[in-house]
């Protein structure tokens, strides 16, 4: 059975550290602690005294002063790993933790999970090819030497950085390694840790290189593990559940997040708020409960993004620079079908296309795999289509050699509707308002990642009214925009009423409009 040596880096809250160590080692596992040398000496003395009689706890033999973004965090981890390797010969796995982490599964579940696959769990994405770094410097983290801490000594940090750039003092990356990047919260097998420690003693060139890189805790272990371990023995993921806000700050978890945390496909979570005393207590009791069962739905990140994004939707009041003086054409007519149920809109525009012979394109700004002609690459991705929306539409009018075009757009894309409505061309909109059953909303939540097959019914009951309200909100925004030539087709109305709207929308005869309106199974889910 797996026996875990937890590698704990911490710098505060000694009582919480003592409790965490006692809880995790009570299940037969181990812990190696590095307590920051910058922290208060009396706090470290309290921790050592409280855990002195626990044979499953050891301490890094050398404590160092740690700083964010520095090599010191990596060195502290290596010191704790060396202590754990020597003190716990029966440890099979080494799991990186901070003082803000907490177990969100039972010890039995955790051990069974690690026993099920003989692999290492560590995020390791190609440093240069991936988009893991969202903002700030990238290549400069590696090719320049970083001697000072940006937060504590910003003037020295930026002065030496600027001087190296001015003098062209770049350096080469060691030729035989491919730098990787990822989260610092990993779980590695004993053999892998032994290889890493041996690597640190034999590859002094690599060690010198990483000591002066910036934020090496995101690159050192990730690179070395990928260098030493076969690819099929690595799972590029972290077993610690964590989320970040739009501003790059870690999300804190509180007492009411208990059910959410248990349903995630992870063994630990970070960060648990210091005020979440009840949450810590419940999670502590859960870790000791060998009979606990878990329903894994793993919708936490997508649910957080969905809920925090509500109410943040803004309108773009100025034209993009590439759209200045651009227009679809004064004599052209763009007809937009707006519908939340994509399959309904697709059936409708397919029928419109067959009856009127007007070209129609489905959700080209919402669906990556929409069938589009080759337009020189502008159609290659959703991001390009949206960024160059007017240029794309002009090219489609030209490609089909037509002055009339039908497209589908999701009601959430209000900025697109505003853009096209403000164009000098004629823009018509037909909003198709459908009925939404709980079954459909549940399926929708699953498709967009807000829920999973194992999401508890209680969670769905709380979630569905929010989703339904969000859909209604999108429809309300469209009506509030007071677009010219907006028509609303409601599912509950009769085909004759639908035909009247379709006739105005497509500028066709009532007979042809009724032929479109009487499409079979138009609103079927």
């Amino acid at each position: 059975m797996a026996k875990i040596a937890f590698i704990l880096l911490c710098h505060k809250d000694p009582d919480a550290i003592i409790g965490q160590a006692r809880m995790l080692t009570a299940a037969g596992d181990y812990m190696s602690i590095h307590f920051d040398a910058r922290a208060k000496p009396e706090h470290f003395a309290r921790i050592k005294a409280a855990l002195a009689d626990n044979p499953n706890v050891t301490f890094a033999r050398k404590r160092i002063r740690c700083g964010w973004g520095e090599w010191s965090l990596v060195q502290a981890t290596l010191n704790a790993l060396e202590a754990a390797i020597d003190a716990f010969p029966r440890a099979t796995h080494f799991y990186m933790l901070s003082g803000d982490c907490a177990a969100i599964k039972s010890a039995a579940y955790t051990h069974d999970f690690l026993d099920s696959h003989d692999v290492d769990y560590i995020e390791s994405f190609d440093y240069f090819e991936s988009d893991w770094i969202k903002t700030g410097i990238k290549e400069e983290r590696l090719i320049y030497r970083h001697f000072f801490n940006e937060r504590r000594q910003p003037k020295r940090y930026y002065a030496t950085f600027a001087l190296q750039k001015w003098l062209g003092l770049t350096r080469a990356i060691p030729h035989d390694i491919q730098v990787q990047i990822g989260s610092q919260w990993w779980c590695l097998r004993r053999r892998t840790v032994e290889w890493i420690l041996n690597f640190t003693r034999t590859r002094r060139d690599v060690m010198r290189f990483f000591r002066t890189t910036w934020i090496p805790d995101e690159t050192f272990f990730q690179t070395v593990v990928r260098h030493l371990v076969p690819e099929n023995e690595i799972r590029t993921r972290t077993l610690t559940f964590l989320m970040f806000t739009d501003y790059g700050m870690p999300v804190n978890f509180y007492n009411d997040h208990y059910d959410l945390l248990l349903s995630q496909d992870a063994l630990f979570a970070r960060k648990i708020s210091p005020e979440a005393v009840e949450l810590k207590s419940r999670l502590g009791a859960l870790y000791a409960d060998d009979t606990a069962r878990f329903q894994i739905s793993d919708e936490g990140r997508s649910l957080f993004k969905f809920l925090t994004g509500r109410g943040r939707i803004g309108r773009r009041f100025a034209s993009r620079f590439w759209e200045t003086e651009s227009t679809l054409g004064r004599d052209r007519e763009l007809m937009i079908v707006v519908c939340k149920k994509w399959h309904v809109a697709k059936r409708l525009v397919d029928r419109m296309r067959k009856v009127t012979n007007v070209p129609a394109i489905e959700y080209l700004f919402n669906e990556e795999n929409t069938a589009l002609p080759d337009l020189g690459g502008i159609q290659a991705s959703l991001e390009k289509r949206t960024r160059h929306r007017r240029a794309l539409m002009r090219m489609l009018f030209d490609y089909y050699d037509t002055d009339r075009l039908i497209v589908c757009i999701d009601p959430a894309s209000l900025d697109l509707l505003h853009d096209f409505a403000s164009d000098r061309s004629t823009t018509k909109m037909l909003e198709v308002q459908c009925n939404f059953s709980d079954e459909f909303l549940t399926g929708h939540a699953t498709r967009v990642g807000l829920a999973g097959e194992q999401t508890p019914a209680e969670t769905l009951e709380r979630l569905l009214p929010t989703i339904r309200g969000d859909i209604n909100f999108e429809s309300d925004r469209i009506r509030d925009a007071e677009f010219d030539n907006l028509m609303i087709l409601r599912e509950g109305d009769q085909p004759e009423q639908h035909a009247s709207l379709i006739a105005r929308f497509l500028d066709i005869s009532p007979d042809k409009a009724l032929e479109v309106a009487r499409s079979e199974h138009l609103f079927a889910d």
Side-chain angles (χ1 to χ4, degrees), residues 494-507:
Q494 295 300 314
E496 290 74 18
Q497 294 171 282
H498 294 168
S500 175
L501 293 169
I502 293 170
R504 289 168 49 203
F505 179 68
L506 297 174
D507 194 19

Side-chain angles (χ1 to χ4, degrees), residues 68-69 127-128 131-147 150 157 161 164-165 171 173 179-184 208-220 222:
W68 183 88
Y127 187 89
F128 295 100
D131 63 347
W132 205 85
I133 298 175
K134 303 297 184 185
T135 59
I137 61 174
K138 187 171 184 178
E139 183 183 26
E140 293 86 348
R141 287 194 190 186
L142 306 178
I143 64 173
Y144 295 110
R145 296 165 178 83
H146 301 270
F147 301 104
E150 182 191 28
Y157 175 88
F161 184 30
Q164 291 179 80
K165 293 180 71 174
R171 59 175 173 177
I173 298 170
V179 179
Q180 305 285 309
I181 191 166
S183 168
Q184 62 269 54
R208 283 195 299 272
F209 171 76
F210 276 105
R211 278 194 181 97
T212 51
T213 59
W214 184 234
I215 320 183
D217 55 317
E218 294 179 350
T219 56
F220 176 76
Q222 296 78 0

